[in-house]
Amino acid sequence: MKTYSVTKTINASADTIWAILTDSSKYPDWNETVGKIEGNIALGEQLKVYSKNNPDQVFPVKVVDFEPGKKMIWRGGMPLGLFVGARTFLLSGDSHGPMEFYMEEKFSGLMSPLITRSIPDLTPYFEQFALNLKDKAENYK
C-alpha cells in the first residue's frame, strides 16, 4: 500500500476551513494543484477532479464519508477494488482555531503495485495543497 500525507497547522476556525474545502467551484481560485472540481462536495456525491498538472486527466471519485468540520473521504478507482485511491481530509483541534489539517491518500488493491509505479511522488502537491489552504483560510473573507 502506498500512502502520501501532509499535516499543517492553520490559524482559522474549523467552519472557515470546511467552507473552503467543500466549495468545489472555488478550488481553482485558491488551489495551485487542482484545476477544477465538477460536482457537489457532500456525502454520496460523485465528483470529477482535474489536476492543474495534467488537466486532460479526470479523477472520478465519490464522497464516501462526510462529517462537517471534521472529516471527509473521497474514494475512486477500478471496479472490484482492483485499484483504490482514498483521500482523507481531517481537521482537529479547538473548533475556533488553530486547527490541525491532515490530508492523506492511500492507494490499495490487487493492481496497486503496478499502477502506483506510474504515479509521481505526490508529496510536493500535498504540501502545496496544504499551504494554499492555510493561506486562503487565514486570509478568508
Side-chain angles (χ1 to χ4, degrees), residues 65 95 97 109 120 130:
D65 194 351
S95 63

Side-chain angles (χ1 to χ4, degrees), residues 33 35 49-59 125:
T33 64
V49 181
Y50 297 81
S51 166
K52 283 189 180 173
N53 192 38
N54 192 354
D56 294 331
Q57 187 171 12
V58 179
F59 299 95
Y125 301 103

Side-chain angles (χ1 to χ4, degrees), residues 70-82:
K70 295 180 182 178
K71 175 183 179 183
M72 75 176 151
I73 300 174
W74 300 355
R75 184 175 291 137
M78 298 173 72
L80 306 173
L82 292 174

Side-chain angles (χ1 to χ4, degrees), residues 15-95:
D15 288 344
T16 296
I17 298 167
W18 200 254
I20 295 165
L21 282 175
T22 57
D23 187 349
S24 58
S25 67
K26 299 279 194 243
Y27 266 71
D29 297 344
W30 64 268
N31 193 287
E32 294 176 33
T33 64
V34 177
K36 71 177 175 177
I37 296 177
E38 294 176 355
N40 182 32
I41 301 174
L43 184 61
E45 294 290 322
Q46 298 282 343
L47 306 173
K48 290 182 181 177
V49 181
Y50 297 81
S51 166
K52 283 189 180 173
N53 192 38
N54 192 354
D56 294 331
Q57 187 171 12
V58 179
F59 299 95
V61 297
K62 182 176 183 177
V63 181
V64 297
D65 194 351
F66 193 87
E67 296 176 47
K70 295 180 182 178
K71 175 183 179 183
M72 75 176 151
I73 300 174
W74 300 355
R75 184 175 291 137
M78 298 173 72
L80 306 173
L82 292 174
F83 177 73
V84 177
R87 180 166 295 186
T88 300
F89 303 82
L90 293 172
L91 292 177
S92 60
D94 180 343
S95 63

